[in-house]
Amino acid sequence: MKYIFVTGGVVSSLGKGLTAASLGTLLENRGLKVVLQKFDPYLNVDPGTMNPYQHGEVYVLDDGAETDLDLGHYERFTNCQLTRLNNLTSGQVYQTVLNNEREGKYLGKTVQVIPHVTNEIQNRIHVLAEHSKADVMITEIGGTTGDIEGLPFLEAIREFALEVGPHNALFLHVTFVPFIKAAGELKTKPTQQSVAKLREIGIAPHILVCRCERPLDKDLRRKISVFCNVPFEAVIEEKDVDHSIYEVPLMLQREGVDELVCRQLHLDTPVPDMTHWQEILRKIIAPQRRVRIAVVGKYIELQDAYKSVYEAIIHGGVANDCGVEIQKVDAEDIEREGAEKLLKGLGGILVPGGFGERGIEGKILAARYARETSLPYLGLCLGMQIATIEFARNVLNLTNAHSTEFNPDTPHPVIAMLDEQTKVTKKGGTMRLGAQPCQLVVGTKAARLYGAFVVKERHRHRYEFNNAYREIFQKADFIFSGFTPDGKLVEIIELANHPFFIASQFHPEFHSKPHQPHPLFKGFIAAAHAHSHSR
């Protein structure tokens, strides 16, 4: 197996995850089996209990692991099927090491960062290598080179590369070349300092990927090459993309990154055919039609909070050769200004998942507006619960109907906590998580969109539709179009007399890819465009 380690310097949020995922795309298209892995230096066991303002979205895998959002990039850009083995945090490492110490596995030795912590990190690489049987493993190290919490990970990969040999391991360093407006030029000093810091640790990068606003000319590349001790052709320009993150693989291909990697790792593979990727990009940049979609949420000012949702909307657009303009609407603004003012003239409304009471009434108003004006609506997780509450209040006349999450004393708890959740005390990793089977009802819109009768979708929630209210909802043409195989839990709902009003308790956005758009998003965008066109 060949190993690629992706590190970052100067500042965070440089796009290491996108760079790693894009490299994975190129290598897969050369016929290689690729697996990607993320090491996060923070001490949380996983991001499951972290505020979106701290960490962005929590990306859930089929096996129920709550992981970093970069794993979403990995799955969207490649054919990897990821598990909890693909994300490792300092919290998990130290938890394992301390458990081993308590169990006497270190035979009375003094437990130290080197070798015990670094060995545990390397062990995770070996375990995933054995589990995946891949040709190439790409491991991204989170954080920034020089951060105290990241040092054990850098030491671990330095030792690991020494162990596997020079033609089996490659270091790719993503760095920043800022444009100083006052000086009118790009500056290489931050990159030089970042590489110097990495070399102090004992790691010499083979490839430098330079994030920049302006193109790198030959003189700048030569300067970076000399001062960072990297071959000239291995100084890679990674400019800010003009239209879409899906441009990055093609950009890196033009820069010859995959060729450099294959040469360094002695991989004899054909040049990748990226025609299909170019067509995806064409449909994003120059689509045949266009539509505007509102995403109504509470973390709307934070791009990463609904990252997978935004990407799945774009994928739905690709499936319909339709450019999608996403209008981000704060649910609290709807509470203040009304739904019509902020949502009129749009093609569709999407309400994503979330927790907490803030903005709930605004989301309910959005769902009501969609129902009453025949505007296409797609609800995800909380978005399904919102649609249920709105219908209960305004169609069934169940006064003050609500979810017990937001009002434990509601007279009509149409959304209530799952039975198995009532005795849960710990917050992390205790929700209904991961891929669960859903039995679709024949003849429903959801079944037609999927073209199947049983599907598996990823979940992350504690509350569900209250079955005590099933009969009264069904009599009012509120359709239950998907259930768990035992029929106990409602998974999908839709409205009978509406062009497109579908909501799921699960998170379909986690199964969407640019080349495999999710059926619900594909159908939603088609309905939204039809609505806009008819209007």
Side-chain angles (χ1 to χ4, degrees), residues 186-228:
L186 293 165
K187 292 293 184 181
T188 66
K189 189 63 71 176
T191 292
Q192 295 177 43
Q193 295 290 338
S194 174
V195 173
K197 194 71 180 173
L198 197 62
R199 291 169 69 185
E200 281 178 21
I201 297 165
I203 295 173
H206 299 93
I207 298 174
L208 273 183
V209 173
C210 301
R211 284 298 310 277
C212 50
E213 297 177 46
R214 309 289 179 92
L216 297 178
D217 59 32
K218 286 185 178 180
D219 289 339
L220 273 175
R221 292 195 194 217
R222 193 170 291 110
K223 184 177 180 182
I224 292 171
S225 169
V226 170
F227 282 95
C228 297

mmCIF file of all heavy atoms in Angstrom, residues 186-228:
data_model
loop_
_atom_site.group_PDB
_atom_site.id
_atom_site.type_symbol
_atom_site.label_atom_id
_atom_site.label_comp_id
_atom_site.label_asym_id
_atom_site.label_seq_id
_atom_site.Cartn_x
_atom_site.Cartn_y
_atom_site.Cartn_z
ATOM 1 N N LEU A 186 2.079 38.978 -4.303
ATOM 2 C CA LEU A 186 1.981 37.772 -3.488
ATOM 3 C C LEU A 186 3.224 37.645 -2.623
ATOM 4 O O LEU A 186 4.330 37.991 -3.052
ATOM 5 C CB LEU A 186 1.850 36.537 -4.381
ATOM 6 C CG LEU A 186 0.554 36.409 -5.184
ATOM 7 C CD1 LEU A 186 0.708 35.366 -6.283
ATOM 8 C CD2 LEU A 186 -0.614 36.039 -4.285
ATOM 9 N N LYS A 187 3.047 37.131 -1.411
ATOM 10 C CA LYS A 187 4.169 36.991 -0.480
ATOM 11 C C LYS A 187 4.397 35.516 -0.154
ATOM 12 O O LYS A 187 3.476 34.786 0.210
ATOM 13 C CB LYS A 187 3.889 37.773 0.810
ATOM 14 C CG LYS A 187 3.878 39.292 0.632
ATOM 15 C CD LYS A 187 5.271 39.809 0.290
ATOM 16 C CE LYS A 187 5.293 41.323 0.207
ATOM 17 N NZ LYS A 187 6.648 41.829 -0.140
ATOM 18 N N THR A 188 5.648 35.092 -0.262
ATOM 19 C CA THR A 188 5.983 33.675 -0.041
ATOM 20 C C THR A 188 6.480 33.370 1.364
ATOM 21 O O THR A 188 6.628 32.214 1.731
ATOM 22 C CB THR A 188 7.072 33.223 -1.033
ATOM 23 O OG1 THR A 188 8.294 33.933 -0.751
ATOM 24 C CG2 THR A 188 6.654 33.497 -2.468
ATOM 25 N N LYS A 189 6.754 34.414 2.151
ATOM 26 C CA LYS A 189 7.351 34.198 3.472
ATOM 27 C C LYS A 189 6.507 33.297 4.376
ATOM 28 O O LYS A 189 7.063 32.416 5.060
ATOM 29 C CB LYS A 189 7.625 35.538 4.154
ATOM 30 C CG LYS A 189 8.443 35.429 5.454
ATOM 31 C CD LYS A 189 9.842 34.870 5.200
ATOM 32 C CE LYS A 189 10.704 35.891 4.470
ATOM 33 N NZ LYS A 189 12.092 35.386 4.305
ATOM 34 N N PRO A 190 5.162 33.460 4.443
ATOM 35 C CA PRO A 190 4.373 32.544 5.283
ATOM 36 C C PRO A 190 4.568 31.079 4.893
ATOM 37 O O PRO A 190 4.657 30.209 5.754
ATOM 38 C CB PRO A 190 2.931 33.003 5.048
ATOM 39 C CG PRO A 190 3.045 34.433 4.673
ATOM 40 C CD PRO A 190 4.304 34.520 3.861
ATOM 41 N N THR A 191 4.667 30.817 3.588
ATOM 42 C CA THR A 191 4.895 29.445 3.128
ATOM 43 C C THR A 191 6.280 28.963 3.548
ATOM 44 O O THR A 191 6.438 27.823 4.016
ATOM 45 C CB THR A 191 4.741 29.370 1.599
ATOM 46 O OG1 THR A 191 3.382 29.597 1.263
ATOM 47 C CG2 THR A 191 5.178 28.020 1.065
ATOM 48 N N GLN A 192 7.259 29.818 3.411
ATOM 49 C CA GLN A 192 8.616 29.444 3.833
ATOM 50 C C GLN A 192 8.647 29.085 5.315
ATOM 51 O O GLN A 192 9.249 28.087 5.728
ATOM 52 C CB GLN A 192 9.589 30.598 3.566
ATOM 53 C CG GLN A 192 9.804 30.945 2.096
ATOM 54 C CD GLN A 192 10.710 32.146 1.939
ATOM 55 O OE1 GLN A 192 11.734 32.269 2.617
ATOM 56 N NE2 GLN A 192 10.342 33.053 1.046
ATOM 57 N N GLN A 193 7.983 29.912 6.131
ATOM 58 C CA GLN A 193 7.972 29.679 7.582
ATOM 59 C C GLN A 193 7.236 28.382 7.922
ATOM 60 O O GLN A 193 7.648 27.624 8.810
ATOM 61 C CB GLN A 193 7.309 30.856 8.294
ATOM 62 C CG GLN A 193 8.063 32.171 8.184
ATOM 63 C CD GLN A 193 9.367 32.148 8.981
ATOM 64 O OE1 GLN A 193 9.540 31.368 9.906
ATOM 65 N NE2 GLN A 193 10.307 33.002 8.597
ATOM 66 N N SER A 194 6.142 28.137 7.206
ATOM 67 C CA SER A 194 5.354 26.934 7.463
ATOM 68 C C SER A 194 6.159 25.679 7.153
ATOM 69 O O SER A 194 6.169 24.718 7.932
ATOM 70 C CB SER A 194 4.083 26.974 6.611
ATOM 71 O OG SER A 194 3.370 25.774 6.723
ATOM 72 N N VAL A 195 6.854 25.685 6.017
ATOM 73 C CA VAL A 195 7.660 24.524 5.640
ATOM 74 C C VAL A 195 8.837 24.361 6.593
ATOM 75 O O VAL A 195 9.196 23.237 6.969
ATOM 76 C CB VAL A 195 8.141 24.648 4.181
ATOM 77 C CG1 VAL A 195 9.115 23.529 3.833
ATOM 78 C CG2 VAL A 195 6.950 24.616 3.232
ATOM 79 N N ALA A 196 9.425 25.481 7.019
ATOM 80 C CA ALA A 196 10.529 25.411 7.985
ATOM 81 C C ALA A 196 10.056 24.751 9.273
ATOM 82 O O ALA A 196 10.780 23.939 9.875
ATOM 83 C CB ALA A 196 11.072 26.814 8.261
ATOM 84 N N LYS A 197 8.841 25.095 9.706
ATOM 85 C CA LYS A 197 8.284 24.492 10.927
ATOM 86 C C LYS A 197 8.085 22.990 10.743
ATOM 87 O O LYS A 197 8.382 22.188 11.640
ATOM 88 C CB LYS A 197 6.945 25.161 11.259
ATOM 89 C CG LYS A 197 6.423 24.871 12.647
ATOM 90 C CD LYS A 197 7.260 25.589 13.684
ATOM 91 C CE LYS A 197 6.768 25.320 15.089
ATOM 92 N NZ LYS A 197 7.667 25.888 16.115
ATOM 93 N N LEU A 198 7.622 22.611 9.578
ATOM 94 C CA LEU A 198 7.404 21.192 9.294
ATOM 95 C C LEU A 198 8.734 20.443 9.267
ATOM 96 O O LEU A 198 8.844 19.317 9.788
ATOM 97 C CB LEU A 198 6.673 21.056 7.958
ATOM 98 C CG LEU A 198 5.990 19.720 7.645
ATOM 99 C CD1 LEU A 198 4.901 19.413 8.663
ATOM 100 C CD2 LEU A 198 5.373 19.756 6.239
ATOM 101 N N ARG A 199 9.748 21.057 8.698
ATOM 102 C CA ARG A 199 11.063 20.411 8.623
ATOM 103 C C ARG A 199 11.713 20.306 10.001
ATOM 104 O O ARG A 199 12.472 19.372 10.269
ATOM 105 C CB ARG A 199 11.958 21.171 7.650
ATOM 106 C CG ARG A 199 11.493 21.018 6.194
ATOM 107 C CD ARG A 199 12.194 21.955 5.249
ATOM 108 N NE ARG A 199 13.609 21.603 5.088
ATOM 109 C CZ ARG A 199 14.476 22.335 4.389
ATOM 110 N NH1 ARG A 199 14.071 23.469 3.810
ATOM 111 N NH2 ARG A 199 15.719 21.940 4.263
ATOM 112 N N GLU A 200 11.429 21.260 10.888
ATOM 113 C CA GLU A 200 11.924 21.157 12.270
ATOM 114 C C GLU A 200 11.411 19.880 12.928
ATOM 115 O O GLU A 200 12.093 19.252 13.738
ATOM 116 C CB GLU A 200 11.431 22.350 13.098
ATOM 117 C CG GLU A 200 12.200 23.647 12.900
ATOM 118 C CD GLU A 200 11.609 24.771 13.731
ATOM 119 O OE1 GLU A 200 10.898 24.474 14.726
ATOM 120 O OE2 GLU A 200 11.819 25.940 13.386
ATOM 121 N N ILE A 201 10.174 19.513 12.582
ATOM 122 C CA ILE A 201 9.558 18.320 13.153
ATOM 123 C C ILE A 201 10.152 17.056 12.534
ATOM 124 O O ILE A 201 10.045 15.963 13.090
ATOM 125 C CB ILE A 201 8.027 18.391 12.949
ATOM 126 C CG1 ILE A 201 7.454 19.594 13.720
ATOM 127 C CG2 ILE A 201 7.315 17.126 13.353
ATOM 128 C CD1 ILE A 201 6.043 19.982 13.303
ATOM 129 N N GLY A 202 10.793 17.222 11.381
ATOM 130 C CA GLY A 202 11.429 16.077 10.727
ATOM 131 C C GLY A 202 10.733 15.632 9.460
ATOM 132 O O GLY A 202 11.027 14.557 8.927
ATOM 133 N N ILE A 203 9.802 16.452 8.971
ATOM 134 C CA ILE A 203 9.054 16.095 7.760
ATOM 135 C C ILE A 203 9.418 17.067 6.641
ATOM 136 O O ILE A 203 9.286 18.281 6.803
ATOM 137 C CB ILE A 203 7.540 16.141 8.014
ATOM 138 C CG1 ILE A 203 7.133 15.073 9.039
ATOM 139 C CG2 ILE A 203 6.761 15.960 6.710
ATOM 140 C CD1 ILE A 203 5.687 15.145 9.479
ATOM 141 N N ALA A 204 9.871 16.529 5.528
ATOM 142 C CA ALA A 204 10.176 17.350 4.348
ATOM 143 C C ALA A 204 9.114 17.066 3.293
ATOM 144 O O ALA A 204 9.015 15.936 2.793
ATOM 145 C CB ALA A 204 11.560 17.018 3.806
ATOM 146 N N PRO A 205 8.288 18.051 2.953
ATOM 147 C CA PRO A 205 7.214 17.792 1.988
ATOM 148 C C PRO A 205 7.745 17.495 0.594
ATOM 149 O O PRO A 205 8.727 18.085 0.146
ATOM 150 C CB PRO A 205 6.404 19.089 2.007
ATOM 151 C CG PRO A 205 7.338 20.133 2.516
ATOM 152 C CD PRO A 205 8.275 19.442 3.443
ATOM 153 N N HIS A 206 7.079 16.565 -0.092
ATOM 154 C CA HIS A 206 7.422 16.246 -1.472
ATOM 155 C C HIS A 206 6.705 17.169 -2.444
ATOM 156 O O HIS A 206 7.214 17.450 -3.530
ATOM 157 C CB HIS A 206 7.045 14.792 -1.794
ATOM 158 C CG HIS A 206 7.745 13.780 -0.946
ATOM 159 N ND1 HIS A 206 7.199 13.279 0.212
ATOM 160 C CD2 HIS A 206 8.964 13.186 -1.083
ATOM 161 C CE1 HIS A 206 8.039 12.412 0.752
ATOM 162 N NE2 HIS A 206 9.111 12.332 -0.013
ATOM 163 N N ILE A 207 5.488 17.605 -2.057
ATOM 164 C CA ILE A 207 4.671 18.474 -2.912
ATOM 165 C C ILE A 207 4.125 19.615 -2.058
ATOM 166 O O ILE A 207 3.667 19.391 -0.932
ATOM 167 C CB ILE A 207 3.502 17.686 -3.548
ATOM 168 C CG1 ILE A 207 4.023 16.566 -4.453
ATOM 169 C CG2 ILE A 207 2.579 18.623 -4.334
ATOM 170 C CD1 ILE A 207 2.926 15.660 -4.990
ATOM 171 N N LEU A 208 4.184 20.837 -2.597
ATOM 172 C CA LEU A 208 3.602 22.009 -1.938
ATOM 173 C C LEU A 208 2.406 22.479 -2.751
ATOM 174 O O LEU A 208 2.554 22.817 -3.935
ATOM 175 C CB LEU A 208 4.613 23.151 -1.856
ATOM 176 C CG LEU A 208 5.560 23.207 -0.674
ATOM 177 C CD1 LEU A 208 6.418 24.453 -0.774
ATOM 178 C CD2 LEU A 208 4.798 23.195 0.639
ATOM 179 N N VAL A 209 1.243 22.480 -2.152
ATOM 180 C CA VAL A 209 0.052 23.010 -2.799
ATOM 181 C C VAL A 209 -0.203 24.392 -2.223
ATOM 182 O O VAL A 209 -0.470 24.533 -1.031
ATOM 183 C CB VAL A 209 -1.163 22.086 -2.579
ATOM 184 C CG1 VAL A 209 -2.436 22.733 -3.123
ATOM 185 C CG2 VAL A 209 -0.929 20.738 -3.235
ATOM 186 N N CYS A 210 -0.106 25.411 -3.063
ATOM 187 C CA CYS A 210 -0.148 26.802 -2.605
ATOM 188 C C CYS A 210 -1.507 27.430 -2.889
ATOM 189 O O CYS A 210 -1.848 27.702 -4.046
ATOM 190 C CB CYS A 210 0.948 27.614 -3.294
ATOM 191 S SG CYS A 210 2.608 26.984 -2.991
ATOM 192 N N ARG A 211 -2.281 27.660 -1.829
ATOM 193 C CA ARG A 211 -3.545 28.363 -1.969
ATOM 194 C C ARG A 211 -3.264 29.837 -2.206
ATOM 195 O O ARG A 211 -2.471 30.452 -1.495
ATOM 196 C CB ARG A 211 -4.383 28.204 -0.701
ATOM 197 C CG ARG A 211 -5.052 26.853 -0.546
ATOM 198 C CD ARG A 211 -6.037 26.549 -1.661
ATOM 199 N NE ARG A 211 -6.976 27.636 -1.901
ATOM 200 C CZ ARG A 211 -8.089 27.833 -1.212
ATOM 201 N NH1 ARG A 211 -8.423 26.992 -0.234
ATOM 202 N NH2 ARG A 211 -8.879 28.834 -1.495
ATOM 203 N N CYS A 212 -3.920 30.424 -3.203
ATOM 204 C CA CYS A 212 -3.640 31.814 -3.549
ATOM 205 C C CYS A 212 -4.828 32.436 -4.283
ATOM 206 O O CYS A 212 -5.653 31.732 -4.863
ATOM 207 C CB CYS A 212 -2.381 31.903 -4.405
ATOM 208 S SG CYS A 212 -2.367 30.769 -5.823
ATOM 209 N N GLU A 213 -4.896 33.757 -4.233
ATOM 210 C CA GLU A 213 -5.927 34.495 -4.958
ATOM 211 C C GLU A 213 -5.497 34.785 -6.388
ATOM 212 O O GLU A 213 -6.326 34.857 -7.295
ATOM 213 C CB GLU A 213 -6.219 35.835 -4.273
ATOM 214 C CG GLU A 213 -6.784 35.741 -2.881
ATOM 215 C CD GLU A 213 -6.957 37.123 -2.272
ATOM 216 O OE1 GLU A 213 -7.491 38.015 -2.973
ATOM 217 O OE2 GLU A 213 -6.548 37.327 -1.122
ATOM 218 N N ARG A 214 -4.198 35.019 -6.587
ATOM 219 C CA ARG A 214 -3.646 35.372 -7.896
ATOM 220 C C ARG A 214 -2.739 34.235 -8.388
ATOM 221 O O ARG A 214 -2.210 33.464 -7.579
ATOM 222 C CB ARG A 214 -2.826 36.663 -7.793
ATOM 223 C CG ARG A 214 -3.557 37.837 -7.119
ATOM 224 C CD ARG A 214 -4.658 38.390 -8.002
ATOM 225 N NE ARG A 214 -5.365 39.493 -7.370
ATOM 226 C CZ ARG A 214 -5.039 40.772 -7.529
ATOM 227 N NH1 ARG A 214 -3.989 41.117 -8.262
ATOM 228 N NH2 ARG A 214 -5.756 41.725 -6.940
ATOM 229 N N PRO A 215 -2.524 34.144 -9.687
ATOM 230 C CA PRO A 215 -1.647 33.084 -10.225
ATOM 231 C C PRO A 215 -0.209 33.211 -9.723
ATOM 232 O O PRO A 215 0.281 34.317 -9.477
ATOM 233 C CB PRO A 215 -1.714 33.312 -11.738
ATOM 234 C CG PRO A 215 -2.950 34.115 -11.974
ATOM 235 C CD PRO A 215 -3.131 34.961 -10.757
ATOM 236 N N LEU A 216 0.446 32.068 -9.559
ATOM 237 C CA LEU A 216 1.867 32.047 -9.208
ATOM 238 C C LEU A 216 2.688 32.078 -10.494
ATOM 239 O O LEU A 216 2.570 31.175 -11.321
ATOM 240 C CB LEU A 216 2.216 30.769 -8.427
ATOM 241 C CG LEU A 216 1.561 30.542 -7.069
ATOM 242 C CD1 LEU A 216 2.019 29.191 -6.524
ATOM 243 C CD2 LEU A 216 1.924 31.643 -6.094
ATOM 244 N N ASP A 217 3.519 33.102 -10.673
ATOM 245 C CA ASP A 217 4.366 33.122 -11.872
ATOM 246 C C ASP A 217 5.604 32.250 -11.643
ATOM 247 O O ASP A 217 5.838 31.729 -10.548
ATOM 248 C CB ASP A 217 4.753 34.552 -12.263
ATOM 249 C CG ASP A 217 5.517 35.292 -11.171
ATOM 250 O OD1 ASP A 217 6.268 34.639 -10.422
ATOM 251 O OD2 ASP A 217 5.365 36.525 -11.073
ATOM 252 N N LYS A 218 6.401 32.101 -12.683
ATOM 253 C CA LYS A 218 7.558 31.206 -12.600
ATOM 254 C C LYS A 218 8.564 31.662 -11.549
ATOM 255 O O LYS A 218 9.170 30.837 -10.854
ATOM 256 C CB LYS A 218 8.238 31.104 -13.968
ATOM 257 C CG LYS A 218 7.471 30.277 -14.979
ATOM 258 C CD LYS A 218 8.261 30.117 -16.276
ATOM 259 C CE LYS A 218 7.506 29.235 -17.260
ATOM 260 N NZ LYS A 218 8.250 29.067 -18.533
ATOM 261 N N ASP A 219 8.758 32.969 -11.421
ATOM 262 C CA ASP A 219 9.722 33.482 -10.442
ATOM 263 C C ASP A 219 9.298 33.142 -9.014
ATOM 264 O O ASP A 219 10.132 32.749 -8.185
ATOM 265 C CB ASP A 219 9.881 34.997 -10.601
ATOM 266 C CG ASP A 219 10.636 35.375 -11.869
ATOM 267 O OD1 ASP A 219 11.358 34.505 -12.399
ATOM 268 O OD2 ASP A 219 10.497 36.526 -12.321
ATOM 269 N N LEU A 220 8.008 33.289 -8.735
ATOM 270 C CA LEU A 220 7.515 32.954 -7.392
ATOM 271 C C LEU A 220 7.648 31.459 -7.128
ATOM 272 O O LEU A 220 8.061 31.042 -6.039
ATOM 273 C CB LEU A 220 6.056 33.378 -7.248
ATOM 274 C CG LEU A 220 5.785 34.820 -6.806
ATOM 275 C CD1 LEU A 220 4.294 35.118 -6.842
ATOM 276 C CD2 LEU A 220 6.326 35.059 -5.403
ATOM 277 N N ARG A 221 7.301 30.660 -8.109
ATOM 278 C CA ARG A 221 7.416 29.207 -7.932
ATOM 279 C C ARG A 221 8.876 28.812 -7.697
ATOM 280 O O ARG A 221 9.176 27.958 -6.861
ATOM 281 C CB ARG A 221 6.875 28.477 -9.159
ATOM 282 C CG ARG A 221 5.375 28.619 -9.346
ATOM 283 C CD ARG A 221 4.880 27.595 -10.347
ATOM 284 N NE ARG A 221 3.523 27.900 -10.802
ATOM 285 C CZ ARG A 221 2.592 26.994 -11.061
ATOM 286 N NH1 ARG A 221 2.860 25.715 -10.884
ATOM 287 N NH2 ARG A 221 1.405 27.340 -11.495
ATOM 288 N N ARG A 222 9.774 29.456 -8.454
ATOM 289 C CA ARG A 222 11.195 29.145 -8.306
ATOM 290 C C ARG A 222 11.686 29.545 -6.907
ATOM 291 O O ARG A 222 12.449 28.815 -6.274
ATOM 292 C CB ARG A 222 11.992 29.869 -9.390
ATOM 293 C CG ARG A 222 13.447 29.374 -9.524
ATOM 294 C CD ARG A 222 14.113 29.945 -10.766
ATOM 295 N NE ARG A 222 13.537 29.390 -11.997
ATOM 296 C CZ ARG A 222 12.801 30.078 -12.842
ATOM 297 N NH1 ARG A 222 12.522 31.352 -12.616
ATOM 298 N NH2 ARG A 222 12.322 29.502 -13.942
ATOM 299 N N LYS A 223 11.211 30.686 -6.425
ATOM 300 C CA LYS A 223 11.603 31.151 -5.093
ATOM 301 C C LYS A 223 11.110 30.184 -4.016
ATOM 302 O O LYS A 223 11.858 29.812 -3.104
ATOM 303 C CB LYS A 223 11.019 32.548 -4.846
ATOM 304 C CG LYS A 223 11.431 33.172 -3.526
ATOM 305 C CD LYS A 223 10.866 34.583 -3.406
ATOM 306 C CE LYS A 223 11.272 35.236 -2.089
ATOM 307 N NZ LYS A 223 10.689 36.596 -1.953
ATOM 308 N N ILE A 224 9.859 29.771 -4.131
ATOM 309 C CA ILE A 224 9.308 28.815 -3.162
ATOM 310 C C ILE A 224 10.065 27.497 -3.239
ATOM 311 O O ILE A 224 10.393 26.884 -2.207
ATOM 312 C CB ILE A 224 7.805 28.599 -3.435
ATOM 313 C CG1 ILE A 224 7.022 29.875 -3.108
ATOM 314 C CG2 ILE A 224 7.268 27.436 -2.604
ATOM 315 C CD1 ILE A 224 5.557 29.830 -3.542
ATOM 316 N N SER A 225 10.374 27.068 -4.446
ATOM 317 C CA SER A 225 11.116 25.823 -4.641
ATOM 318 C C SER A 225 12.466 25.867 -3.939
ATOM 319 O O SER A 225 12.822 24.939 -3.187
ATOM 320 C CB SER A 225 11.312 25.575 -6.140
ATOM 321 O OG SER A 225 12.228 24.523 -6.362
ATOM 322 N N VAL A 226 13.211 26.940 -4.126
ATOM 323 C CA VAL A 226 14.559 27.062 -3.551
ATOM 324 C C VAL A 226 14.504 27.140 -2.029
ATOM 325 O O VAL A 226 15.227 26.428 -1.323
ATOM 326 C CB VAL A 226 15.279 28.296 -4.132
ATOM 327 C CG1 VAL A 226 16.567 28.572 -3.367
ATOM 328 C CG2 VAL A 226 15.583 28.089 -5.613
ATOM 329 N N PHE A 227 13.642 28.005 -1.509
ATOM 330 C CA PHE A 227 13.622 28.234 -0.059
ATOM 331 C C PHE A 227 12.944 27.102 0.711
ATOM 332 O O PHE A 227 13.172 26.963 1.919
ATOM 333 C CB PHE A 227 12.949 29.566 0.254
ATOM 334 C CG PHE A 227 13.825 30.760 0.026
ATOM 335 C CD1 PHE A 227 13.786 31.451 -1.168
ATOM 336 C CD2 PHE A 227 14.716 31.198 1.005
ATOM 337 C CE1 PHE A 227 14.608 32.546 -1.395
ATOM 338 C CE2 PHE A 227 15.536 32.288 0.791
ATOM 339 C CZ PHE A 227 15.485 32.974 -0.414
ATOM 340 N N CYS A 228 12.110 26.320 0.043
ATOM 341 C CA CYS A 228 11.407 25.238 0.726
ATOM 342 C C CYS A 228 11.963 23.861 0.374
ATOM 343 O O CYS A 228 11.455 22.842 0.858
ATOM 344 C CB CYS A 228 9.910 25.291 0.403
ATOM 345 S SG CYS A 228 9.096 26.786 0.984
#
